[in-house]
Amino acid sequence: MTHCPLVIVGAGPAGLSAASTTAEAGIPTLLIDENPRIGGQIFRQPAAATDEAPDPQKAELFRRFQAAGSKIESRLGTTVWGLFPPGQLALLHDGQSALLRADNIILTPGAHEYVPPFPGWTLPGVMTPGAAQILVKSMNVSPGKRVLLAGTGPFLLVVAQTLHHAGTRVVGIIEMARRRESWRVLPGLLACPGLLKEGIGYLARLKRAGIPIHRGQVLVEARGDEQVQEAVFAPCNADGSPDRARSKSISVDAICVGYGFVPRVQLAQLAGCRLHFDDAQGGWRPATDENQQTSQTNVWSAGDGAGVAGALVAQLEGTLAGLAVARRLDALADAEFRARRQSIARRLARLRRFRAALDWLYRLRPALTDLAAPETVVCRCEEVTRAEVETAIDAGGVEYRTLKTMTRAGMGPCQGMMCGPALCRFLAARAGKPIERIGPPSVRPPIVPVGLGTLAEASALSARMGATS
Amino acid sequence: MSQVPDVIVVGAGVIGSAVAFELSKRSVRVLLLDEALPGRATSASAGGLWPIGEAIGLGCGVIYHAAQTGEASAGPASLPAVFRDFLAASNARFPQLAVELQDISGLDIEFSPGHGLLFLMFEERESEFVRGLAGSLPPSTRIDVLSADEVRRLEPALSPDLKGAALLSGEHQVNPMLLAEAFKRAAMRNGVHSRPDARVTGLRREGGRVTGVAVGDETISCGTVINAAGAWAGTLAATIGLDLPVFPVRGQIVLTETLPPLLHSCLSTSACYLSQKEHGEVLIGSTTERAGFDTSVTPAAIQSLCRGAMRAVPLLAQVMVKRCWAGLRPGTPDELPVLGPASGLTGYLNAAGGFRTGIVASPLTGEVVAQLATGERPTLPVEPFLMRRFE
């Protein structure tokens, strides 16, 4: 079995920063990512050159990573499907499974998008903004001819701009946050004037492109026969509850819906890390100390996977985790560690004031859970409806586990990764329990389906597979 | 609950829930206490109802035996006839019980009669084991030895490498989690009070009498405490100095994605057992390990189970594994349950040590323990299962 002093899982902003930091300190670093290229979701590298302006933050991140070079071995196109405590990682690459042992692990797996179930959300043509971004950036495919973005958060603006640049017609953005709420958070946003300016830049470019933003509105339904044809949206109150009498509809052939992100905590859970519920940062996240260390002494967590806070925070947290590992392995003097940590902590504090303002503005509002109609499918894998879920809750399925047994919701191939957060919210609302009392959905390996034949192979759970750096 | 309960049942797995259900039919005031601990055996059970199969060592027994001894040996020893008969009587309740539980709880326990349980023979030692079984069977049961061709007519998905198989008809399956939930719901419909998140920290004892339980700082008094705490039953008994030899025995399980109908029988081999569940997933179990309360799954066990499954049903190589997990069976030194009173102690009953037959034994265990709690004469003699056999 390959034995590594340090493995970093995820090559987005947090993982790249962590890897650069540890490599600079001379630590042999193994970096793993399921994508064929580094960059993660936010800095996904396009399949072909585009005319989109180069992002200076991305350029600097990549430059630093390249400069750290020789100490980093990258295994891309490689999925970590299991973590067996204390330090065995099970990898999948090219249909082959292998185990490796890591003394130290930095988890930077990022986040996935949150979409509360609503009528029509399973229609072809309804997707997440992230999925649309992958279509455009990696496959050069446009999600549609008339695309609507809906949900909440700055990511909608980013994807609208990406789509527009790729020549896709964006017919509008439905944003749940109301205009006057933006003023309320202005003091917080002023903690980072540069970021505020960047946001205003996005808004100005969308305006120039003639893309309308409908603020204080919520998407209530996607309609169509074989494919989405129409989006229905309505003004909403501060709780996100729509005023359906004033709903409007718009003709579309694709809708990208996203209500922020949920940290990917599966590996941290398998590692035995304690989780902490933080609604503003996407729900359950690993509890971390001031050095990004989890409750497990050999596991660190950084970036959106440690609580959704965006790419800049991710880079700083990744660097911090890298410094902590370097310090632990005695590859960094204590004085230097303290000095660098202090400077990062200052920047993080400022960014977190900014993030807190954004988190409030783009918060998940309680009425979102109520968008689903009784017949709306909640668990897509097992096709379980909201009515079935609520009937089971009323019949006493008031624990997540019992609810699963009674309805099979969350028992499909995705293991509740997609529907789990929504199921917990239904459960909390219907059973009148605080959501943190329901606990995080349990996780079992493999966290992605793996072929039984693959697991049975001689090398699968013992030997090393070919490096692919 | 406003009044003092007559009986407190500690543990709402399949055994505790079955006991609570049977007590509820006898108009006893019951409080059912449970805590969602990882590794509860009920949620890691295959749900096989293999009363004779388990008693003669099929299922986990033969896997454990093969892993311990390697080859060239006959299989595991059979369990005593008195327990085999207990399991058979309990198993006979299921068709009726499924209807009763559906009526009261509204839950379908997914009782599904199939062809039966097939023990697959790949090697001579397995055939030898089967030949030796004839003497352990109860009079009413027969074991049919099928040729390779006959087996594959029954189960076309099986490997062509098979030498043959032994078929035990009348061995079926249920959904173990739904069974436990249905017992619990039915009990609650009949008035049992349930606290699903009560961490019972100990028993309360005054001299020779158990008086109640402690839930953190809270003490709850009652007439009788029933220890149905599964793998934790020994730990609970130890809080009043009672030496109940029940310990966790880990079993790891692999579950595939949902597949079209593939297997009509439950399969038992020297490497694993397999059964396709109601929703199409194939469940592959299981290890037998002393690992304390550790509920981790291990790469080596996953691999060994997957290999065993592929050897039996080659096309499983092409399917996806959805999840692997582990449960803690409540094991005992002689693999028999511990039921009924403890010597020199009143107000206390065991419903413990279900080991690997808790699901099939649950209907009768519930009944017998409820009868003991209410002073009725038990349906079947409980003496062979009393705790004093360890003294």
Side-chain angles (χ1 to χ4, degrees):
Chain A
M1 196 190 310
T2 313
H3 183 177
C4 311
L6 171 64
V7 172
I8 299 175
V9 184
L16 292 175
S17 302
S20 304
T21 305
T22 53
E24 284 159 8
I27 299 166
T29 299
L30 184 65
L31 177 66
I32 301 174
D33 196 286
E34 60 195 358
N35 294 297
R37 291 149 177 254
I38 59 167
Q41 170 75 359
I42 183 154
F43 296 140
R44 185 176 293 277
Q45 298 179 75
T50 66
D51 60 351
E52 209 170 329
D55 182 321
Q57 185 196 350
K58 171 180 170 181
E60 168 57 19
L61 181 68
F62 280 38
R63 188 206 57 72
R64 188 180 166 209
F65 179 73
Q66 253 101 48
S70 67
K71 281 284 177 192
I72 304 173
E73 181 190 346
S74 300
R75 288 203 199 166
L76 302 175
T78 301
T79 301
V80 179
W81 64 259
L83 194 160
F84 302 94
Q88 279 190 79
L89 294 164
L91 315 183
L92 187 68
H93 172 73
D94 259 349
Q96 293 234 300
S97 178
L99 278 185
L100 65 80
R101 196 161 92 234
D103 292 336
N104 300 283
I105 301 170
I106 302 179
L107 296 174
T108 52
H112 57 252
E113 287 158 290
Y114 180 63
V115 185
F118 62 92
W121 75 306
T122 55
L123 276 174
V126 180
M127 65 191 83
T128 63
Q133 198 183 42
I134 293 173
L135 283 179
V136 170
K137 279 195 178 178
S138 300
M139 298 173 218
N140 244 330
V141 173
S142 173
K145 295 194 173 66
R146 290 178 55 82
V147 181
L148 179 75
L149 288 114
T152 196
F155 190 52
L156 296 178
L157 308 180
V158 175
V159 175
Q161 181 173 311
T162 305
L163 292 175
H164 176 70
H165 266 288
T168 298
R169 177 150 181 229
V170 177
V171 296
I173 300 173
I174 310 289
E175 167 55 65
M176 188 170 54
R178 295 178 303 167
R179 186 183 297 275
R180 62 171 175 276
E181 290 175 331
S182 320
W183 297 110
R184 218 175 118 175
V185 298
L186 194 59
L189 296 179
L190 283 168
C192 298
L195 287 177
L196 180 57
K197 202 175 140 208
E198 198 183 312
I200 292 168
Y202 269 105
L203 294 175
R205 286 192 293 278
L206 292 171
K207 187 163 188 182
R208 272 202 300 282
I211 298 171
I213 303 178
H214 307 277
R215 288 199 176 77
Q217 307 263 330
V218 62
L219 178 72
V220 294
E221 189 176 355
R223 288 184 186 154
D225 298 325
E226 309 275 283
Q227 154 82 30
V228 62
Q229 291 162 323
E230 190 184 13
V232 183
F233 59 98
C236 62
N237 66 12
D239 279 347
S241 182
D243 178 359
R244 289 171 197 268
R246 289 162 61 204
S247 66
K248 290 182 197 153
S249 73
I250 183 170
S251 163
V252 296
D253 62 356
I255 310 178
C256 308
V257 193
Y259 286 84
F261 297 85
V262 177
R264 292 171 70 176
V265 294
Q266 288 80 7
L267 290 175
Q269 276 181 279
L270 290 181
C273 301
R274 198 162 55 76
L275 301 190
H276 165 78
F277 190 82
D278 188 342
D279 214 3
Q281 296 199 333
W284 292 99
R285 64 179 184 82
T288 48
D289 70 4
E290 71 282 5
N291 296 330
Q292 302 303 126
Q293 187 168 29
T294 67
S295 62
Q296 298 293 323
T297 53
N298 61 331
V299 182
W300 285 258
S301 167
D304 282 352
V308 175
L312 281 176
V313 170
Q315 274 177 252
L316 293 171
E317 287 181 352
T319 301
L320 193 49
L323 291 172
V325 172
R327 178 71 203 108
R328 185 185 201 205
L329 296 178
D330 239 345
L332 192 66
D334 194 49
E336 190 187 345
F337 170 67
R338 283 165 188 283
R340 291 181 66 181
R341 184 179 67 179
Q342 202 178 7
S343 124
I344 288 171
R346 263 199 307 275
R347 278 181 285 167
L348 274 176
R350 209 165 45 237
L351 279 166
R352 283 181 179 138
R353 278 204 300 283
F354 180 84
R355 275 311 301 197
L358 282 190
D359 289 342
W360 183 81
L361 184 60
Y362 299 123
R363 67 195 179 278
L364 285 181
R365 299 171 196 235
L368 281 179
T369 312
D370 237 13
L371 287 178
E375 66 280 7
T376 302
V377 164
V378 172
C379 164
R380 304 174 74 141
C381 298
E382 295 287 327
E383 298 188 338
V384 183
T385 64
R386 175 182 180 181
E388 290 171 293
V389 165
E390 292 189 336
T391 303
I393 296 169
D394 293 346
V398 292
E399 290 169 89
Y400 182 72
R401 190 185 51 184
T402 319
L403 185 62
K404 276 169 59 178
T405 304
M406 290 169 77
T407 63
R408 286 194 60 79
M411 304 268 272
C414 90
Q415 292 291 289
M417 193 155 96
M418 300 312 296
C419 66
L423 284 175
C424 290
R425 288 179 192 278
F426 279 118
L427 199 46
R430 190 83 175 189
K433 275 193 188 181
I435 192 159
E436 44 289 26
R437 281 277 307 283
I438 291 160
S442 64
V443 171
R444 323 235 190 233
I447 61 170
V448 293
V450 180
L452 187 142
T454 302
L455 296 176
E457 268 164 39
S459 62
L461 295 169
S462 47
R464 176 199 168 92
M465 69 178 154
T468 54
S469 74
Chain B
M1 175 170 274
S2 51
Q3 293 162 297
V4 173
D6 300 324
V7 175
I8 289 177
V9 180
V10 183
V14 75
I15 297 292
S17 297
V19 171
F21 173 60
E22 286 294 333
L23 286 169
S24 75
K25 296 201 281 191
R26 291 165 171 78
S27 308
V28 175
R29 278 198 311 271
V30 180
L31 176 61
L32 179 61
L33 300 177
D34 194 47
E35 186 197 359
L37 291 169
R40 324 161 92 232
T42 299
S43 48
S45 156
L49 302 176
W50 308 328
I52 308 302
E54 287 287 3
I56 60 178
L58 303 188
C60 295
V62 71
I63 303 167
Y64 180 65
H65 187 81
Q68 293 303 301
T69 59
E71 39 208 299
S73 114
S78 292
L79 294 175
V82 61
F83 184 52
R84 184 195 68 198
D85 296 344
F86 185 97
L87 292 182
S90 189
N91 184 51
R93 304 289 172 88
F94 274 91
Q96 177 82 49
L97 180 69
V99 177
E100 185 184 8
L101 288 178
Q102 171 99 57
D103 283 349
I104 306 177
S105 73
L107 287 179
D108 174 7
I109 63 169
E110 298 174 357
F111 172 67
S112 80
H115 287 154
L117 176 64
L118 273 175
F119 177 70
L120 306 186
M121 304 181 289
F122 291 93
E123 286 161 38
E124 181 47 36
R125 69 187 161 94
E126 288 156 342
S127 314
E128 202 178 297
F129 168 57
V130 167
R131 282 194 292 275
L133 287 178
S136 335
L137 293 174
S140 58
T141 317
R142 67 169 212 279
I143 193 158
D144 293 315
V145 179
L146 309 180
S147 71
D149 285 349
E150 287 169 324
V151 185
R152 295 198 66 211
R153 269 201 295 281
L154 206 59
E155 292 289 352
L158 290 182
S159 163
D161 298 340
L162 270 181
K163 277 197 156 59
L167 174 65
L168 273 170
S169 306
E171 311 252 302
H172 308 308
Q173 51 176 321
V174 289
N175 180 322
M177 287 179 276
L178 282 172
L179 175 64
E181 196 59 33
F183 271 133
K184 188 166 97 185
R185 297 271 142 238
M188 288 166 69
R189 286 297 290 269
N190 289 347
V192 167
H193 190 74
S194 157
R195 280 177 58 181
D197 46 10
R199 175 192 289 259
V200 176
T201 45
L203 301 176
R204 286 281 177 261
R205 174 180 187 161
E206 282 168 23
R209 196 179 126 64
V210 174
T211 57
V213 304
V215 177
D217 297 336
E218 178 190 4
T219 294
I220 313 175
S221 304
C222 64
T224 304
V225 176
I226 295 176
N227 183 351
W232 294 267
T235 316
L236 182 66
T239 61
I240 50 167
L242 200 58
D243 184 17
L244 174 64
V246 174
F247 44 82
V249 181
R250 183 168 70 181
Q252 302 190 41
I253 283 183
V254 171
L255 189 78
T256 72
E257 64 185 317
T258 293
L259 302 173
L262 183 71
L263 301 174
H264 312 285
S265 325
C266 300
L267 308 179
S268 167
T269 79
S270 301
C272 66
Y273 60 73
L274 300 100
S275 63
Q276 185 165 27
K277 304 306 289 181
E278 180 90 355
H279 299 278
E281 298 129 326
V282 174
L283 191 149
I284 305 159
S286 165
T287 57
T288 297
E289 306 160 80
R290 292 289 294 270
F293 289 96
D294 180 0
T295 57
S296 313
V297 291
T298 60
I302 294 174
Q303 184 167 50
S304 145
L305 292 171
C306 289
R307 282 185 186 171
M310 254 170 71
R311 187 177 192 205
V313 186
L315 64 80
L316 286 179
Q318 313 302 320
V319 314
M320 296 306 237
V321 168
K322 193 157 74 173
R323 62 175 183 268
C324 308
W325 73 102
L328 305 173
R329 303 180 193 86
T332 60
D334 57 5
E335 305 191 5
L336 300 183
V338 187
L339 306 179
S343 307
L345 207 56
T346 58
Y348 174 87
L349 291 170
N350 289 303
F355 196 33
R356 53 186 190 229
T357 51
I359 301 295
V360 63
S362 61
L364 196 54
T365 304
E367 183 174 300
V368 165
V369 174
Q371 287 164 333
L372 293 172
T374 51
E376 292 168 57
R377 189 188 146 87
T379 310
L380 276 164
V382 76
E383 283 67 29
F385 310 118
L386 289 174
M387 192 175 153
R388 66 162 182 247
R389 70 181 187 268
F390 300 112
E391 283 166 12

